[in-house]
Amino acid sequence: MKKMLVIAALAICSFANAQKGTVLVGGNIGYTSETTDFNVGERKTNEFSFSPKVGYQFHENWTVGGEFTVASSKDDQGVNEYKTNTSKFGAFVRYTMPLSQTFSVFADLGAGFQNRTEKDYVGNNYSKAKADGMYIGVVPALFINMQKGFGLNFSIGGLSYDTLSYDNNGPDVNRFNFNFGQTFNIGISKNF
């Protein structure tokens, strides 16, 4: 039994050491579509997001890098239509704990700046609002190594806080999200 534990520990350490000094490239793509039928009409909502990341694994368990997100949503309520474009740019630090050569768990701590543009269409007329702010969040996840550092990332939510301050004396928004078990994300990543 002791020999098995020593072999398992060496396998885990050799896997972790093989990743040190590598570049991590990864990200997520998301799409959501929802249609709601009412007695007087229909409401359609579509959302798309793209979130790439690039980092450098400077230690067996630690990676630091940059992240970027572009998201767009459209909410069509017949006469009224709402469009939102959001972009985020920041940095992240990741702590990874290998469980075996196939599975690892990690947590990403990301923080940065964000901006948002909202357009509210009523017929041919529209109003526009812009906002800037910051974000910070922690997301735990599972990594499945498919082949030579290429794999899938799975997460089920996280913890985040963000702010938005709208132009032209608009509102200041502060949001705290605790959404463990409420979302499910799949992404890919590759260590080079």
Side-chain angles (χ1 to χ4, degrees), residues 30-41:
Y31 178 75
T32 303
S33 180
E34 179 181 341
T35 301
T36 307
D37 287 324
F38 298 102
N39 291 337
V40 294

Side-chain angles (χ1 to χ4, degrees), residues 106-108 138-142 154-159 180:
F106 66 87
D108 278 354
V138 176
V139 177
L142 172 69
F154 296 94
S155 67
I156 57 168
L159 182 68
F180 284 106

